[in-house]
Amino acid sequence: MLSERYPTDIVIAVTSEAIFIARSMESGQELVGYTLTPLRQLLTRWSTTEFERASRGIQLLEWRRNHGYCSRCGTATVTHAHEYAMVCPRCEYMQYPRLQPCIIVAITRIDSSHRHSLLLARSSRSNMPMFSLIAGFVEVGETLEQAVAREVKEEVGLDVKNISYLGSQPWPFPSNIMIGFHAEYAGGELVLQEEEIAEAAFYAFDQLPLVPPTGSIAHRMIQQIISQYNH
């Protein structure tokens, strides 16, 4: 939806106290009295509601920038007045915001002493000593559960079972929806996909390495699993 006062603004939320909008900045434009901060840095400082509003705004602005022309006939598009849609005035094709679904999975294993551990992995693309959960994009034609099993097999060589849903989070880097699952170890030895995973191991709940910060779905899932098995 567009703002009535400022047609280029995008309305992202309306409450009894305020209207929240997303606005593009021109190259070189300065905001007097304000500091621009990358959204990732605000993840641990903002509430879930604040982060989700900002996430929505960033994704809608990016979508509008990327759909300035019709993908069918190449005509310049216009913004729909009442929907999140870019409309072609020539062929009337409408382009809506698209999400890229990604699964993220917490894999647990129980040993002969009935102690639980959690699989954590460090990305090959990161220089930080941070470990997280296995994650990846859903491919065309597969279910979310199939995506979980495939990604785990591809990235660390393991089989999983009893896949169950845990939660989700919008992730605007650039326009993803993270869909969280819990799965139990079913078999196999760790064989890492080196271009994706630098190292991986099962860790006891009280011996975890550095994990993603508060505010991320990975952190929430890790805490949820620990709480579930410690009760």
Side-chain angles (χ1 to χ4, degrees), residues 8-47:
T8 59
D9 291 348
I10 301 176
V11 177
I12 56 174
V14 179
T15 70
S16 59
E17 300 176 344
I19 297 176
F20 297 86
I21 60 99
R23 177 179 297 172
S24 293
M25 291 183 61
E26 301 296 331
S27 178
Q29 182 180 353
E30 295 185 2
L31 289 176
V32 178
Y34 294 89
T35 301
L36 293 176
T37 304
L39 187 57
R40 285 182 186 270
Q41 295 181 18
L42 298 171
L43 186 60
T44 59
R45 296 160 53 186
W46 275 358
S47 68

mmCIF file of all heavy atoms in Angstrom, residues 8-47:
data_model
loop_
_atom_site.group_PDB
_atom_site.id
_atom_site.type_symbol
_atom_site.label_atom_id
_atom_site.label_comp_id
_atom_site.label_asym_id
_atom_site.label_seq_id
_atom_site.Cartn_x
_atom_site.Cartn_y
_atom_site.Cartn_z
ATOM 1 N N THR A 8 5.501 7.801 -2.837
ATOM 2 C CA THR A 8 6.590 6.845 -3.021
ATOM 3 C C THR A 8 6.876 6.045 -1.751
ATOM 4 O O THR A 8 7.656 5.095 -1.774
ATOM 5 C CB THR A 8 7.880 7.564 -3.460
ATOM 6 O OG1 THR A 8 8.246 8.527 -2.465
ATOM 7 C CG2 THR A 8 7.678 8.256 -4.800
ATOM 8 N N ASP A 9 6.281 6.432 -0.630
ATOM 9 C CA ASP A 9 6.447 5.680 0.607
ATOM 10 C C ASP A 9 5.583 4.419 0.577
ATOM 11 O O ASP A 9 4.525 4.390 -0.053
ATOM 12 C CB ASP A 9 6.054 6.513 1.819
ATOM 13 C CG ASP A 9 7.027 7.655 2.078
ATOM 14 O OD1 ASP A 9 8.109 7.662 1.461
ATOM 15 O OD2 ASP A 9 6.693 8.546 2.894
ATOM 16 N N ILE A 10 6.033 3.387 1.283
ATOM 17 C CA ILE A 10 5.261 2.151 1.397
ATOM 18 C C ILE A 10 4.821 1.992 2.850
ATOM 19 O O ILE A 10 5.649 2.020 3.757
ATOM 20 C CB ILE A 10 6.097 0.931 0.972
ATOM 21 C CG1 ILE A 10 6.565 1.072 -0.478
ATOM 22 C CG2 ILE A 10 5.277 -0.355 1.131
ATOM 23 C CD1 ILE A 10 7.465 -0.054 -0.942
ATOM 24 N N VAL A 11 3.527 1.853 3.070
ATOM 25 C CA VAL A 11 3.012 1.642 4.420
ATOM 26 C C VAL A 11 3.255 0.188 4.805
ATOM 27 O O VAL A 11 2.824 -0.733 4.103
ATOM 28 C CB VAL A 11 1.508 1.964 4.499
ATOM 29 C CG1 VAL A 11 0.976 1.656 5.896
ATOM 30 C CG2 VAL A 11 1.260 3.421 4.142
ATOM 31 N N ILE A 12 3.942 -0.030 5.942
ATOM 32 C CA ILE A 12 4.260 -1.397 6.354
ATOM 33 C C ILE A 12 3.479 -1.837 7.591
ATOM 34 O O ILE A 12 3.349 -3.034 7.845
ATOM 35 C CB ILE A 12 5.773 -1.566 6.604
ATOM 36 C CG1 ILE A 12 6.278 -0.552 7.629
ATOM 37 C CG2 ILE A 12 6.537 -1.434 5.298
ATOM 38 C CD1 ILE A 12 7.730 -0.753 8.016
ATOM 39 N N ALA A 13 2.970 -0.880 8.366
ATOM 40 C CA ALA A 13 2.170 -1.235 9.545
ATOM 41 C C ALA A 13 1.397 -0.018 10.014
ATOM 42 O O ALA A 13 1.872 1.115 9.892
ATOM 43 C CB ALA A 13 3.063 -1.758 10.671
ATOM 44 N N VAL A 14 0.204 -0.269 10.545
ATOM 45 C CA VAL A 14 -0.631 0.796 11.093
ATOM 46 C C VAL A 14 -1.088 0.359 12.478
ATOM 47 O O VAL A 14 -1.659 -0.724 12.644
ATOM 48 C CB VAL A 14 -1.865 1.077 10.211
ATOM 49 C CG1 VAL A 14 -2.726 2.164 10.836
ATOM 50 C CG2 VAL A 14 -1.424 1.490 8.806
ATOM 51 N N THR A 15 -0.820 1.189 13.482
ATOM 52 C CA THR A 15 -1.286 0.922 14.841
ATOM 53 C C THR A 15 -2.150 2.091 15.303
ATOM 54 O O THR A 15 -2.319 3.077 14.571
ATOM 55 C CB THR A 15 -0.093 0.752 15.814
ATOM 56 O OG1 THR A 15 0.555 2.023 15.993
ATOM 57 C CG2 THR A 15 0.903 -0.260 15.277
ATOM 58 N N SER A 16 -2.674 2.009 16.507
ATOM 59 C CA SER A 16 -3.486 3.097 17.041
ATOM 60 C C SER A 16 -2.653 4.335 17.334
ATOM 61 O O SER A 16 -3.185 5.433 17.493
ATOM 62 C CB SER A 16 -4.191 2.643 18.328
ATOM 63 O OG SER A 16 -3.227 2.246 19.307
ATOM 64 N N GLU A 17 -1.324 4.174 17.389
ATOM 65 C CA GLU A 17 -0.438 5.273 17.746
ATOM 66 C C GLU A 17 0.369 5.824 16.583
ATOM 67 O O GLU A 17 0.824 6.965 16.628
ATOM 68 C CB GLU A 17 0.526 4.818 18.847
ATOM 69 C CG GLU A 17 -0.176 4.377 20.127
ATOM 70 C CD GLU A 17 0.800 3.854 21.153
ATOM 71 O OE1 GLU A 17 1.957 3.557 20.766
ATOM 72 O OE2 GLU A 17 0.425 3.733 22.335
ATOM 73 N N ALA A 18 0.569 5.027 15.549
ATOM 74 C CA ALA A 18 1.473 5.489 14.483
ATOM 75 C C ALA A 18 1.242 4.716 13.194
ATOM 76 O O ALA A 18 0.654 3.627 13.188
ATOM 77 C CB ALA A 18 2.923 5.335 14.926
ATOM 78 N N ILE A 19 1.710 5.319 12.107
ATOM 79 C CA ILE A 19 1.787 4.649 10.806
ATOM 80 C C ILE A 19 3.261 4.463 10.492
ATOM 81 O O ILE A 19 4.037 5.413 10.528
ATOM 82 C CB ILE A 19 1.107 5.485 9.706
ATOM 83 C CG1 ILE A 19 -0.384 5.642 10.010
ATOM 84 C CG2 ILE A 19 1.300 4.826 8.338
ATOM 85 C CD1 ILE A 19 -1.105 6.548 9.015
ATOM 86 N N PHE A 20 3.662 3.238 10.187
ATOM 87 C CA PHE A 20 5.053 2.936 9.894
ATOM 88 C C PHE A 20 5.222 2.819 8.381
ATOM 89 O O PHE A 20 4.468 2.109 7.719
ATOM 90 C CB PHE A 20 5.476 1.631 10.579
ATOM 91 C CG PHE A 20 5.422 1.707 12.079
ATOM 92 C CD1 PHE A 20 4.235 1.441 12.755
ATOM 93 C CD2 PHE A 20 6.549 2.051 12.813
ATOM 94 C CE1 PHE A 20 4.179 1.516 14.145
ATOM 95 C CE2 PHE A 20 6.497 2.133 14.195
ATOM 96 C CZ PHE A 20 5.316 1.861 14.862
ATOM 97 N N ILE A 21 6.200 3.542 7.872
ATOM 98 C CA ILE A 21 6.415 3.558 6.422
ATOM 99 C C ILE A 21 7.863 3.181 6.095
ATOM 100 O O ILE A 21 8.764 3.284 6.933
ATOM 101 C CB ILE A 21 6.079 4.945 5.814
ATOM 102 C CG1 ILE A 21 6.951 6.056 6.434
ATOM 103 C CG2 ILE A 21 4.599 5.244 6.009
ATOM 104 C CD1 ILE A 21 8.120 6.462 5.618
ATOM 105 N N ALA A 22 8.060 2.730 4.864
ATOM 106 C CA ALA A 22 9.405 2.472 4.327
ATOM 107 C C ALA A 22 9.643 3.487 3.223
ATOM 108 O O ALA A 22 8.779 3.702 2.373
ATOM 109 C CB ALA A 22 9.499 1.049 3.786
ATOM 110 N N ARG A 23 10.824 4.110 3.244
ATOM 111 C CA ARG A 23 11.124 5.155 2.271
ATOM 112 C C ARG A 23 12.524 4.960 1.715
ATOM 113 O O ARG A 23 13.484 4.768 2.456
ATOM 114 C CB ARG A 23 11.018 6.533 2.922
ATOM 115 C CG ARG A 23 11.375 7.708 2.010
ATOM 116 C CD ARG A 23 11.218 9.035 2.741
ATOM 117 N NE ARG A 23 9.818 9.244 3.137
ATOM 118 C CZ ARG A 23 9.437 10.247 3.923
ATOM 119 N NH1 ARG A 23 10.310 11.099 4.421
ATOM 120 N NH2 ARG A 23 8.149 10.385 4.233
ATOM 121 N N SER A 24 12.639 5.012 0.397
ATOM 122 C CA SER A 24 13.953 4.898 -0.236
ATOM 123 C C SER A 24 14.715 6.213 -0.103
ATOM 124 O O SER A 24 14.131 7.294 -0.150
ATOM 125 C CB SER A 24 13.804 4.550 -1.722
ATOM 126 O OG SER A 24 13.270 3.258 -1.894
ATOM 127 N N MET A 25 16.030 6.105 0.055
ATOM 128 C CA MET A 25 16.889 7.286 0.093
ATOM 129 C C MET A 25 17.636 7.410 -1.224
ATOM 130 O O MET A 25 18.060 6.414 -1.810
ATOM 131 C CB MET A 25 17.889 7.175 1.247
ATOM 132 C CG MET A 25 17.265 7.265 2.625
ATOM 133 S SD MET A 25 18.526 7.209 3.910
ATOM 134 C CE MET A 25 19.479 8.685 3.494
ATOM 135 N N GLU A 26 17.767 8.637 -1.683
ATOM 136 C CA GLU A 26 18.543 8.880 -2.892
ATOM 137 C C GLU A 26 20.023 8.728 -2.587
ATOM 138 O O GLU A 26 20.476 8.919 -1.455
ATOM 139 C CB GLU A 26 18.265 10.282 -3.430
ATOM 140 C CG GLU A 26 16.808 10.547 -3.772
ATOM 141 C CD GLU A 26 16.312 9.666 -4.904
ATOM 142 O OE1 GLU A 26 17.153 9.296 -5.759
ATOM 143 O OE2 GLU A 26 15.109 9.346 -4.940
ATOM 144 N N SER A 27 20.784 8.369 -3.580
ATOM 145 C CA SER A 27 22.227 8.231 -3.418
ATOM 146 C C SER A 27 22.841 9.553 -2.948
ATOM 147 O O SER A 27 22.592 10.605 -3.526
ATOM 148 C CB SER A 27 22.869 7.809 -4.748
ATOM 149 O OG SER A 27 24.260 7.705 -4.617
ATOM 150 N N GLY A 28 23.597 9.507 -1.870
ATOM 151 C CA GLY A 28 24.229 10.708 -1.335
ATOM 152 C C GLY A 28 23.369 11.506 -0.391
ATOM 153 O O GLY A 28 23.827 12.483 0.187
ATOM 154 N N GLN A 29 22.101 11.106 -0.238
ATOM 155 C CA GLN A 29 21.199 11.834 0.650
ATOM 156 C C GLN A 29 21.607 11.647 2.110
ATOM 157 O O GLN A 29 21.968 10.553 2.527
ATOM 158 C CB GLN A 29 19.763 11.340 0.454
ATOM 159 C CG GLN A 29 18.719 12.060 1.298
ATOM 160 C CD GLN A 29 17.318 11.524 1.059
ATOM 161 O OE1 GLN A 29 17.090 10.715 0.178
ATOM 162 N NE2 GLN A 29 16.376 11.986 1.868
ATOM 163 N N GLU A 30 21.539 12.726 2.887
ATOM 164 C CA GLU A 30 21.905 12.668 4.300
ATOM 165 C C GLU A 30 20.671 12.882 5.176
ATOM 166 O O GLU A 30 19.761 13.612 4.810
ATOM 167 C CB GLU A 30 22.956 13.729 4.630
ATOM 168 C CG GLU A 30 24.291 13.516 3.929
ATOM 169 C CD GLU A 30 25.332 14.525 4.373
ATOM 170 O OE1 GLU A 30 25.011 15.348 5.253
ATOM 171 O OE2 GLU A 30 26.455 14.500 3.838
ATOM 172 N N LEU A 31 20.683 12.237 6.324
ATOM 173 C CA LEU A 31 19.619 12.411 7.305
ATOM 174 C C LEU A 31 20.200 13.168 8.496
ATOM 175 O O LEU A 31 20.969 12.600 9.287
ATOM 176 C CB LEU A 31 19.067 11.055 7.754
ATOM 177 C CG LEU A 31 18.232 10.290 6.735
ATOM 178 C CD1 LEU A 31 17.848 8.921 7.297
ATOM 179 C CD2 LEU A 31 16.975 11.064 6.369
ATOM 180 N N VAL A 32 19.851 14.404 8.624
ATOM 181 C CA VAL A 32 20.381 15.234 9.696
ATOM 182 C C VAL A 32 19.834 14.760 11.041
ATOM 183 O O VAL A 32 18.629 14.622 11.228
ATOM 184 C CB VAL A 32 20.028 16.723 9.471
ATOM 185 C CG1 VAL A 32 20.556 17.567 10.617
ATOM 186 C CG2 VAL A 32 20.573 17.196 8.137
ATOM 187 N N GLY A 33 20.739 14.471 11.973
ATOM 188 C CA GLY A 33 20.333 14.042 13.296
ATOM 189 C C GLY A 33 20.099 12.555 13.434
ATOM 190 O O GLY A 33 19.714 12.080 14.512
ATOM 191 N N TYR A 34 20.314 11.797 12.369
ATOM 192 C CA TYR A 34 20.094 10.352 12.406
ATOM 193 C C TYR A 34 21.350 9.627 11.934
ATOM 194 O O TYR A 34 22.181 10.180 11.209
ATOM 195 C CB TYR A 34 18.923 9.947 11.512
ATOM 196 C CG TYR A 34 17.577 10.463 11.986
ATOM 197 C CD1 TYR A 34 17.118 11.707 11.574
ATOM 198 C CD2 TYR A 34 16.791 9.709 12.838
ATOM 199 C CE1 TYR A 34 15.891 12.189 12.012
ATOM 200 C CE2 TYR A 34 15.559 10.182 13.276
ATOM 201 C CZ TYR A 34 15.116 11.422 12.850
ATOM 202 O OH TYR A 34 13.915 11.887 13.280
ATOM 203 N N THR A 35 21.482 8.377 12.329
ATOM 204 C CA THR A 35 22.588 7.526 11.907
ATOM 205 C C THR A 35 22.025 6.276 11.246
ATOM 206 O O THR A 35 21.132 5.625 11.797
ATOM 207 C CB THR A 35 23.463 7.116 13.108
ATOM 208 O OG1 THR A 35 23.979 8.280 13.738
ATOM 209 C CG2 THR A 35 24.618 6.232 12.649
ATOM 210 N N LEU A 36 22.539 5.952 10.069
ATOM 211 C CA LEU A 36 22.113 4.736 9.390
ATOM 212 C C LEU A 36 22.849 3.542 9.988
ATOM 213 O O LEU A 36 24.071 3.547 10.116
ATOM 214 C CB LEU A 36 22.403 4.838 7.893
ATOM 215 C CG LEU A 36 21.593 5.886 7.123
ATOM 216 C CD1 LEU A 36 22.037 5.950 5.676
ATOM 217 C CD2 LEU A 36 20.102 5.574 7.205
ATOM 218 N N THR A 37 22.086 2.521 10.354
ATOM 219 C CA THR A 37 22.648 1.339 10.993
ATOM 220 C C THR A 37 22.218 0.090 10.238
ATOM 221 O O THR A 37 21.028 -0.074 9.943
ATOM 222 C CB THR A 37 22.162 1.232 12.454
ATOM 223 O OG1 THR A 37 22.494 2.435 13.157
ATOM 224 C CG2 THR A 37 22.805 0.038 13.156
ATOM 225 N N PRO A 38 23.149 -0.805 9.888
ATOM 226 C CA PRO A 38 22.763 -2.059 9.230
ATOM 227 C C PRO A 38 21.770 -2.838 10.079
ATOM 228 O O PRO A 38 21.895 -2.900 11.310
ATOM 229 C CB PRO A 38 24.104 -2.808 9.102
ATOM 230 C CG PRO A 38 25.143 -1.734 9.104
ATOM 231 C CD PRO A 38 24.605 -0.682 10.036
ATOM 232 N N LEU A 39 20.796 -3.435 9.428
ATOM 233 C CA LEU A 39 19.723 -4.121 10.151
ATOM 234 C C LEU A 39 20.249 -5.259 11.009
ATOM 235 O O LEU A 39 19.738 -5.513 12.106
ATOM 236 C CB LEU A 39 18.673 -4.642 9.161
ATOM 237 C CG LEU A 39 17.404 -5.251 9.760
ATOM 238 C CD1 LEU A 39 16.704 -4.251 10.675
ATOM 239 C CD2 LEU A 39 16.467 -5.720 8.663
ATOM 240 N N ARG A 40 21.266 -5.960 10.551
ATOM 241 C CA ARG A 40 21.823 -7.076 11.330
ATOM 242 C C ARG A 40 22.289 -6.613 12.706
ATOM 243 O O ARG A 40 22.190 -7.356 13.685
ATOM 244 C CB ARG A 40 22.986 -7.724 10.580
ATOM 245 C CG ARG A 40 22.587 -8.603 9.413
ATOM 246 C CD ARG A 40 23.817 -9.222 8.781
ATOM 247 N NE ARG A 40 23.516 -9.968 7.576
ATOM 248 C CZ ARG A 40 23.203 -11.256 7.545
ATOM 249 N NH1 ARG A 40 23.162 -11.934 8.683
ATOM 250 N NH2 ARG A 40 22.949 -11.867 6.405
ATOM 251 N N GLN A 41 22.812 -5.379 12.784
ATOM 252 C CA GLN A 41 23.321 -4.879 14.053
ATOM 253 C C GLN A 41 22.199 -4.552 15.034
ATOM 254 O O GLN A 41 22.434 -4.409 16.239
ATOM 255 C CB GLN A 41 24.186 -3.643 13.822
ATOM 256 C CG GLN A 41 25.456 -3.915 13.046
ATOM 257 C CD GLN A 41 26.306 -2.669 12.864
ATOM 258 O OE1 GLN A 41 26.147 -1.670 13.575
ATOM 259 N NE2 GLN A 41 27.213 -2.704 11.903
ATOM 260 N N LEU A 42 20.984 -4.419 14.536
ATOM 261 C CA LEU A 42 19.847 -4.093 15.396
ATOM 262 C C LEU A 42 19.109 -5.331 15.883
ATOM 263 O O LEU A 42 18.209 -5.232 16.711
ATOM 264 C CB LEU A 42 18.872 -3.188 14.633
ATOM 265 C CG LEU A 42 19.445 -1.826 14.203
ATOM 266 C CD1 LEU A 42 18.469 -1.125 13.268
ATOM 267 C CD2 LEU A 42 19.733 -0.962 15.414
ATOM 268 N N LEU A 43 19.520 -6.492 15.390
ATOM 269 C CA LEU A 43 18.827 -7.732 15.708
ATOM 270 C C LEU A 43 18.773 -7.986 17.213
ATOM 271 O O LEU A 43 17.751 -8.420 17.747
ATOM 272 C CB LEU A 43 19.518 -8.903 14.998
ATOM 273 C CG LEU A 43 18.865 -10.280 15.095
ATOM 274 C CD1 LEU A 43 17.475 -10.252 14.501
ATOM 275 C CD2 LEU A 43 19.727 -11.318 14.401
ATOM 276 N N THR A 44 19.874 -7.708 17.911
ATOM 277 C CA THR A 44 19.926 -7.982 19.347
ATOM 278 C C THR A 44 19.384 -6.831 20.188
ATOM 279 O O THR A 44 19.215 -6.974 21.398
ATOM 280 C CB THR A 44 21.370 -8.278 19.784
ATOM 281 O OG1 THR A 44 22.205 -7.147 19.477
ATOM 282 C CG2 THR A 44 21.917 -9.493 19.048
ATOM 283 N N ARG A 45 19.118 -5.684 19.559
ATOM 284 C CA ARG A 45 18.693 -4.501 20.303
ATOM 285 C C ARG A 45 17.199 -4.218 20.173
ATOM 286 O O ARG A 45 16.616 -3.527 21.013
ATOM 287 C CB ARG A 45 19.497 -3.285 19.837
ATOM 288 C CG ARG A 45 20.981 -3.395 20.138
ATOM 289 C CD ARG A 45 21.826 -2.469 19.288
ATOM 290 N NE ARG A 45 21.389 -1.078 19.353
ATOM 291 C CZ ARG A 45 21.913 -0.110 18.606
ATOM 292 N NH1 ARG A 45 22.888 -0.396 17.749
ATOM 293 N NH2 ARG A 45 21.476 1.134 18.720
ATOM 294 N N TRP A 46 16.600 -4.708 19.122
ATOM 295 C CA TRP A 46 15.185 -4.442 18.873
ATOM 296 C C TRP A 46 14.316 -5.598 19.351
ATOM 297 O O TRP A 46 14.764 -6.743 19.465
ATOM 298 C CB TRP A 46 14.952 -4.224 17.388
ATOM 299 C CG TRP A 46 15.201 -2.823 16.935
ATOM 300 C CD1 TRP A 46 15.570 -1.764 17.702
ATOM 301 C CD2 TRP A 46 15.079 -2.324 15.603
ATOM 302 N NE1 TRP A 46 15.683 -0.641 16.930
ATOM 303 C CE2 TRP A 46 15.392 -0.947 15.643
ATOM 304 C CE3 TRP A 46 14.746 -2.902 14.394
ATOM 305 C CZ2 TRP A 46 15.370 -0.155 14.509
ATOM 306 C CZ3 TRP A 46 14.727 -2.116 13.254
ATOM 307 C CH2 TRP A 46 15.030 -0.743 13.316
ATOM 308 N N SER A 47 13.049 -5.287 19.571
ATOM 309 C CA SER A 47 12.076 -6.335 19.863
ATOM 310 C C SER A 47 11.754 -7.082 18.570
ATOM 311 O O SER A 47 12.086 -6.636 17.469
ATOM 312 C CB SER A 47 10.797 -5.719 20.424
ATOM 313 O OG SER A 47 10.133 -4.954 19.418
#
